[in-house]
Amino acid sequence: MTIIDGKLTAKNLREKLAIEVAEMKSEYGVQPSLTVVMVGDDPASQVYVKNKVQQTQAIGMISSEINMPANCSQSVLLDQIKALNHDSSVHGILVQLPLPHHIDESAVIAAIDPNKDVDGFHAINSGRLFNGDLGAMVPCTPQGCVLLIKQHLGGDLSGKHVVVIGRSNIVGKPVAMLLLQENCTVTITHSRTRNLPEVCRQADIVVAAVGIAEFVKADWIKEGATVIDVGINRVITHDGKYKLVGDVDYQAVIEGCGAITPVPGGVGPMTIACLLKNTLLAAQATISKRSV
Ligand code: NAD
């Protein structure tokens, strides 16, 4: 049984990206830059943004943060995004979600230039991914899941049966599309799926993106299967402290599966590493445009 080390894989990816960033700077004088827009002061979002900014700078990219008040209007936020779209020194734009309730998230995502949409949530990028267009800006967490699966099982995933639990636009659907591109047989399951344990037992690979702590049980997993746990759930322990657990009953599943990602230290670290990768791709695209 292998514990898939997302922390190490993410570190290796960041090191590789740092070399590419330095090369881009010396060859073309371009330093990739990411701007994170945050509305309000949600503590969890603040931690995520701080991590993103730190890791962006650590690999030699430019990172800036725009903080807007929680009561900022949608039109002010859209104007800010328009300005960033037109600013050629900004390669990647990320609006930290969730946004306050008075702001329509989908309108905000739609306002981001698809070529700067490093989260990969814009409908143009979802469409590109759906069409199998390799130029798509792919959402970071699904990208991280696939990198971990490929690293563990080797490059060729042809014919593997993957059961994805969850059909969200940010994890379930895009990870299913990516695995389809890898020639997997993909089953997407969700809250209305019947006989979920039985469906899961058929899988060579299970990707759990449900948002329910320790939801996937040991007897749902075929012996030797690979389990990718996307979930991040904060639960209270017996002594009143908080801890993070995934969507998989890790201690039980670990007994029979072939490989599993831990929480924390599995998919989580890959998400930011893939955000950096997308920022580099966005910057590279501006260089190829210049040289055409
Ligand atoms: P979501 O709430 O948008 O979607 C959850 C999905 O689970 C839905 O499609 C729903 O149909 C399905 N579901 C709910 N109850 C179910 C049930 N009983 N049986 C089968 N399916 C069921 O959540 P999301 O944004 O996709 O995130 C899922 C989890 O992944 C959360 O724990 C979230 O915190 C975590 N997450 C982690 C990262 C990361 O970087 N590691 C990134 C994004 C999300």
Side-chain angles (χ1 to χ4, degrees):
M1 204 282 306
T2 306
I3 293 173
I4 301 174
D5 189 343
K7 228 168 151 179
L8 179 65
T9 311
K11 180 172 167 275
N12 293 340
L13 177 54
R14 288 197 306 271
E15 283 171 3
K16 194 172 146 261
L17 294 172
I19 294 169
E20 291 187 53
V21 169
E23 282 171 0
M24 181 182 276
K25 223 167 132 184
S26 69
E27 249 176 76
Y28 300 98
V30 173
Q31 189 174 6
S33 90
L34 170 69
T35 297
V36 181
V37 180
M38 165 132 177
V39 184
D41 49 12
D42 174 61
S45 293
Q46 279 174 333
V47 173
Y48 288 135
V49 169
K50 197 172 139 222
N51 283 339
K52 285 170 187 170
V53 168
Q54 267 174 0
Q55 293 193 28
T56 309
Q57 289 169 345
I59 65 158
M61 293 181 172
I62 299 170
S63 177
S64 47
E65 202 183 322
I66 296 176
N67 292 293
M68 310 190 71
N71 63 358
C72 124
S73 71
Q74 180 165 317
S75 68
V76 167
L77 177 58
L78 292 179
D79 285 346
Q80 177 62 72
I81 290 169
K82 252 182 235 160
L84 293 170
N85 285 343
H86 289 116
D87 182 345
S88 59
S89 71
V90 173
H91 302 114
I93 304 168
L94 182 149
V95 178
Q96 184 64 37
L97 303 177
L99 290 168
H101 294 305
H102 66 280
I103 296 177
D104 174 3
E105 270 182 14
S106 54
V108 172
I109 292 167
I112 299 171
D113 176 344
N115 298 314
K116 297 189 179 190
D117 167 39
V118 284
D119 252 342
F121 295 159
H122 192 290
I124 295 270
N125 283 315
S126 320
R128 284 176 182 156
L129 176 61
F130 189 90
N131 286 351
D133 173 350
L134 298 178
M137 200 62 93
V138 175
C140 305
T141 302
Q143 217 184 127
C145 293
V146 176
L147 288 176
L148 290 177
I149 295 170
K150 287 178 88 169
Q151 184 208 272
H152 172 63
L153 291 174
D156 187 13
L157 302 180
S158 256
K160 300 272 184 209
H161 185 190
V162 185
V163 171
V164 178
I165 317 177
R167 56 174 162 180
S168 73
N169 286 342
I170 66 168
V171 190
K173 283 186 209 163
V175 85
M177 285 302 137
L178 285 174
L179 289 163
L180 200 55
Q181 278 177 18
E182 297 292 337
N183 299 316
C184 293
T185 301
V186 183
T187 303
I188 305 176
T189 64
H190 47 80
S191 53
R192 308 292 173 91
T193 296
R194 293 189 193 140
N195 306 324
L196 182 59
E198 206 176 299
V199 177
C200 282
R201 275 192 285 274
Q202 295 168 27
D204 302 308
I205 301 167
V206 172
V207 179
V210 195
I212 303 175
E214 299 175 336
F215 178 71
V216 176
K217 304 301 177 202
D219 64 351
W220 300 17
I221 303 297
K222 183 168 79 178
E223 201 181 332
T226 301
V227 180
I228 304 295
D229 189 351
V230 183
I232 302 177
N233 308 287
R234 232 161 79 103
V235 295
I236 302 180
T237 58
H238 300 303
D239 48 3
K241 291 186 183 143
Y242 283 102
K243 70 166 186 173
L244 290 184
V245 299
D247 289 344
V248 176
D249 185 356
Y250 185 82
Q251 290 307 336
V253 168
I254 207 168
E255 300 292 331
C257 69
I260 188 166
T261 58
V263 177
V267 175
M270 292 300 289
T271 297
I272 301 188
C274 290
L275 170 69
L276 305 180
K277 185 165 168 257
N278 280 353
T279 305
L280 180 70
L281 289 175
Q284 277 169 345
T286 63
I287 294 169
S288 15
K289 263 188 208 151
R290 267 194 325 198
S291 53
V292 169

